[in-house]
Amino acid sequence: MKFIKHLLIITILFTASLDAREQVNIKFDKLQISKFIKLVSKISGKNILVTNKINGTVDLVTSAPIYDDELMGILVSVLESKGFTLVKKGSIYEVIRSTEAAKHNVPVIRSGYKAYGNTMVTQAIKVKGENVDIVAAKVRYLISKTAKLMTMKESNTLLLTDYPANIQTIKRIIKDLDSKNSKTFKIVKIEHADLKKLHAQIADIAKSIFNEKVATQSVKVLLNNDVNGLVLIGNKENIAELEKIIKTLDTEQNLNEVVQIIPLKNSNAKSVLATLTEIVTKQTFADPSMKPNVSASEEINAVIIVGNPGILKGLKKIIETLDKEKYQVYVQARIVEISNDDAEQIGLKYNLGAVAATPAGLIAFSGNFGGTSALNLIPPGFTPADATGLALGASLDFLQTNGASKTISSPSILCVNNQESSIYVGKTLSFATGSNTAGTLGTTTNFKREDVGLTLKIKPRVSSNDKVTLDAEAVLENVLTVDANGQPVTTKQSVLTQAILRHGESIIIGGLVKNYKTETVTKMPILGSIPLLGWFFTHNDTKDQQDNLIVILTPYIIDKSEKLSALQKELGELTRLQAEYNSHVFETITEKQKEDDK
């Protein structure tokens, strides 16, 4: 009666179908699991052994008939929810705990055969195109909670105990992975290109276009010297794509593409070679044979580079940058010796203000020559800006005209940017270094020759089209006097300075001073020449004198060599304007002085 009580509606219709399966129209509510097992056994005709008590109930709601063999699957699902399952042992199905199913000699399905039924079975699955451990990790989440999965590395095989439906699903996935990961190989012979260089290129290309972290995409590129070819290992599509690239790159080498002779127009081949060698040495190459060779020919002033065309292209750009036309600086120098006493007297005589030989004094003196309120010294046609540029030259020329200064030298030098140039003005003197006595031959004196004079060193650094930094050094060596042995006594003075100047702007280097004494003898006419008696009519005067040597530097920046001739024309015109300016200024000052003397 209890069975009838819990079975609300059980209608069994046996209808013969074409495949001998029978349909069952069944539904129940809160049916005890133990009674559900009996029901399934009765309907399916299967013998079911229950050795454990299974508590709980089950509901089944259907709206259409089900096949009688599907009831076994429903029963397995119900048992799984309680931690149990069915294991077939001959003609009997035994209810056991799910975790112990693998230990109960479940049926073994031969490899390659399809697993059927609703109960657990064991099957070995062969893996071909992938590592069995990697495949196991990928499919593990698909197996049942109580299934058992192990791998056999020796045969690359999976051993799985699970329900047939899960086993079939996993077999389909493994087959799909094997088909996608099926690899082949191909040997591509190389006819023209360098095998090692091409191998490195193709290996890099393969890494770039195929994801090497994905096993189905990666292609290995091996080098084989015996056949002078490349061995490609991967899937057919990727190998075919790489083979096309190899055919494209395997062309006859053109010597002009791998050996380039680059004549230099503005730079020295030896210095450019040093720079290139330093760059190449610091670079690292995956294939050492890809490292380019660089050398220089001083005879034709050219750089020779040998290597891969792609690398040579980068080196050529560096060479073109290094071989750009360099700035040049044309420096005009004026070395002037000024007598302080004479200069001061001229300044007082013409009422021109301070005129010391120091740069500050010269600037003050030249300021008068640039136009004052008292005198209109600017000639007609000249602007105040012209007067500012010509005033210094006018003041120096005025001192020289009146005997207060002497231009020692006016050299000009053309300097290459960032390279030192020098000017020397002086003479060579003999200095006794010792003597030797050789018996009857007498005494032999040894001498050495040394240069004594002015040395001017200039190193320009151009920062823009109109600004240049001058590193200037002036060294003055002078004969001070002669000692008792007739040997000259010399002095040495030096000035080291740095200045930032604009194009055409002047700098005065001063501070090179020479001190000496002068003796002046004054006699009365006729009486001063009488022997003995003339001494009373003669006056001797000793005076300390001081001469200053100043160096005036004026740089002109030349960014292109063709502008040098244009600069020479401009300097010629400047000389003409200076002479015209001086003529007017000197005449104006002289006339003003005459008027003051009246």
Side-chain angles (χ1 to χ4, degrees):
M1 292 299 293
K2 290 183 179 180
F3 179 74
I4 301 298
K5 183 177 180 182
H6 287 86
L7 184 59
L8 301 179
I9 303 173
I10 301 178
T11 306
I12 305 174
L13 300 174
F14 295 99
T15 56
S17 62
L18 293 175
D19 57 356
R21 298 176 71 193
E22 296 179 348
Q23 287 186 328
V24 180
N25 202 351
I26 184 172
K27 62 175 66 176
F28 45 81
D29 181 29
K30 294 182 179 180
L31 179 66
Q32 289 184 355
I33 293 177
S34 58
K35 293 181 179 180
F36 178 58
I37 294 173
K38 294 178 182 179
L39 176 64
V40 172
S41 175
K42 184 176 182 180
I43 295 174
S44 63
K46 307 292 184 183
N47 299 319
I48 302 174
L49 174 63
V50 182
T51 58
N52 295 285
K53 184 178 181 180
I54 304 173
N55 298 318
T57 60
V58 61
D59 298 333
L60 178 64
V61 180
T62 61
S63 59
I66 61 175
Y67 288 103
D68 57 348
D69 56 1
E70 291 177 336
L71 283 174
M72 289 294 288
I74 297 172
L75 176 58
V76 169
S77 297
V78 172
L79 292 175
E80 277 283 345
S81 68
K82 298 299 181 178
F84 294 89
T85 189
L86 285 178
V87 173
K88 186 177 181 182
K89 294 182 178 181
S91 61
I92 299 175
Y93 290 87
E94 184 179 354
V95 178
I96 61 173
R97 294 191 180 277
S98 299
T99 55
E100 299 177 355
K103 300 178 182 179
H104 283 263
N105 298 322
V106 297
V108 177
I109 307 300
R110 292 176 60 186
S111 180
Y113 285 79
K114 185 176 181 180
Y116 294 95
N118 299 304
T119 60
M120 281 189 170
V121 297
T122 297
Q123 188 170 28
I125 305 171
K126 184 74 174 179
V127 179
K128 297 179 180 179
E130 185 61 272
N131 184 288
V132 66
D133 289 329
I134 295 176
V135 173
K138 292 177 180 178
V139 303
R140 192 174 294 277
Y141 75 98
L142 295 173
I143 66 176
S144 302
K145 182 172 64 174
T146 56
K148 299 295 181 181
L149 173 66
M150 64 177 294
T151 61
M152 294 180 288
K153 296 181 181 179
E154 298 81 2
S155 58
N156 209 49
T157 302
L158 284 174
L159 192 61
L160 178 61
T161 300
D162 202 350
Y163 296 103
N166 284 349
I167 291 177
Q168 289 304 115
T169 299
I170 290 171
K171 285 168 66 176
R172 284 194 296 270
I173 292 173
I174 292 176
K175 183 179 180 181
D176 189 45
L177 290 174
D178 279 347
S179 62
K180 287 184 178 179
N181 201 30
S182 59
K183 291 187 177 182
T184 184
F185 76 94
K186 187 166 187 179
I187 299 174
V188 183
K189 291 187 177 181
I190 305 304
E191 298 180 1
H192 305 293
D194 182 271
L195 182 61
K196 288 185 178 180
K197 293 180 180 178
L198 187 59
H199 171 251
Q201 286 181 322
I202 297 301
D204 287 340
I205 291 171
K207 291 177 182 178
S208 300
I209 63 177
F210 305 130
N211 189 346
E212 59 181 349
K213 294 182 179 179
V214 179
T216 58
Q217 291 294 313
S218 66
V219 177
K220 286 186 177 181
V221 183
L222 306 178
L223 181 149
N224 189 298
N225 287 314
D226 296 332
V227 297
N228 195 52
L230 298 177
V231 181
L232 307 179
I233 303 173
N235 64 54
K236 291 183 179 180
E237 293 79 8
N238 292 354
I239 286 178
E241 190 172 346
L242 275 185
E243 188 177 5
K244 291 179 182 178
I245 297 172
I246 293 171
K247 299 281 187 189
T248 303
L249 296 177
D250 185 25
T251 56
E252 291 190 43
Q253 296 183 14
N254 186 343
L255 190 62
N256 292 328
E257 293 178 353
V258 295
V259 179
Q260 292 194 15
I261 301 174
I262 305 173
L264 302 180
K265 298 177 182 179
N266 304 293
S267 300
N268 180 272
K270 192 174 181 180
S271 61
V272 172
L273 174 63
T275 303
L276 290 178
T277 302
E278 185 178 358
I279 293 172
V280 171
T281 302
K282 292 181 178 180
Q283 297 296 314
T284 56
F285 299 88
D287 183 0
S289 63
M290 298 289 286
K291 184 177 180 179
N293 295 318
V294 293
S295 58
S297 172
E298 295 187 41
E299 185 179 354
I300 60 174
N301 195 43
V303 174
I304 304 168
I305 50 178
V306 183
N308 180 273
I311 297 176
L312 297 193
K313 187 177 180 181
L315 289 179
K316 191 174 180 181
K317 288 183 178 180
I318 296 173
I319 293 171
E320 289 174 356
T321 303
L322 294 174
D323 194 37
K324 284 184 178 180
E325 187 168 1
K326 296 175 177 58
Y327 279 104
Q328 298 182 85
V329 180
Y330 182 77
V331 181
Q332 281 189 328
R334 187 172 180 180
I335 305 167
V336 181
E337 188 177 69
I338 301 175
S339 171
N340 273 9
D341 291 344
D342 294 341
E344 288 175 4
Q345 290 177 11
I346 291 172
L348 293 173
K349 178 180 178 181
Y350 291 97
N351 194 24
L352 294 173
V355 58
T358 61
L362 279 177
I363 292 170
F365 185 53
S366 64
N368 292 317
F369 281 78
T372 64
S373 58
L375 295 173
N376 182 18
L377 297 179
I378 302 178
F382 287 80
T383 65
D386 296 330
T388 301
L390 298 172
L392 179 59
S395 63
L396 292 171
D397 291 341
F398 187 76
L399 290 175
Q400 184 163 327
T401 301
N402 289 273
S405 70
K406 179 175 64 176
T407 298
I408 296 175
S409 180
S410 297
S412 299
I413 187 169
L414 186 62
C415 309
V416 177
N417 190 35
N418 278 323
Q419 293 188 17
E420 186 181 90
S421 301
S422 63
I423 302 172
Y424 171 75
V425 180
K427 56 186 176 181
T428 304
L429 299 179
S430 298
F431 292 85
T433 58
S435 60
N436 296 319
T437 302
T440 58
L441 296 177
T443 302
T444 302
T445 305
N446 299 322
F447 292 89
K448 69 173 181 179
R449 306 278 287 176
E450 290 190 3
D451 294 332
V452 177
L454 174 71
T455 301
L456 181 64
K457 296 180 181 179
I458 300 171
K459 183 178 181 180
R461 292 198 310 275
V462 178
S463 57
S464 65
N465 285 335
D466 65 342
K467 276 189 178 182
V468 59
T469 300
L470 286 185
D471 291 329
E473 181 181 8
V475 179
L476 176 64
E477 295 174 299
N478 242 324
V479 178
L480 184 63
T481 183
V482 178
D483 62 15
N485 297 320
Q487 293 298 311
V489 178
T490 61
T491 61
K492 183 177 181 179
Q493 297 164 295
S494 64
V495 175
L496 180 65
T497 188
Q498 185 181 79
I500 300 175
L501 302 173
R502 293 187 180 276
H503 176 85
E505 189 176 12
S506 298
I507 180 178
I508 302 173
I509 302 176
L512 302 175
V513 181
K514 179 176 68 175
N515 296 308
Y516 59 94
K517 292 183 179 182
T518 60
E519 292 186 359
T520 305
V521 180
T522 306
K523 296 181 180 181
M524 290 184 64
I526 302 174
L527 295 176
S529 300
I530 299 174
L532 299 177
L533 186 61
W535 181 84
F536 295 99
F537 301 97
T538 302
H539 176 68
N540 295 323
D541 186 24
T542 301
K543 188 177 182 181
D544 292 330
Q545 291 276 36
Q546 185 182 76
D547 288 352
N548 280 269
L549 195 71
I550 64 168
V551 181
I552 303 170
L553 301 177
T554 308
Y556 298 93
I557 301 171
I558 304 166
D559 58 349
K560 295 182 180 178
S561 56
E562 56 264 25
K563 291 186 179 181
L564 182 59
S565 57
L567 176 63
Q568 296 290 357
K569 291 180 181 179
E570 292 175 7
L571 293 177
E573 178 64 16
L574 183 61
T575 301
R576 186 191 66 79
L577 292 174
Q578 183 73 68
E580 183 180 340
Y581 185 87
N582 289 356
S583 176
H584 174 81
V585 170
F586 295 175
E587 184 179 345
T588 303
I589 292 175
T590 303
E591 289 177 358
K592 179 65 171 59
Q593 180 61 28
K594 289 179 181 179
E595 291 178 3
D596 292 341
D597 292 341
K598 291 181 180 180

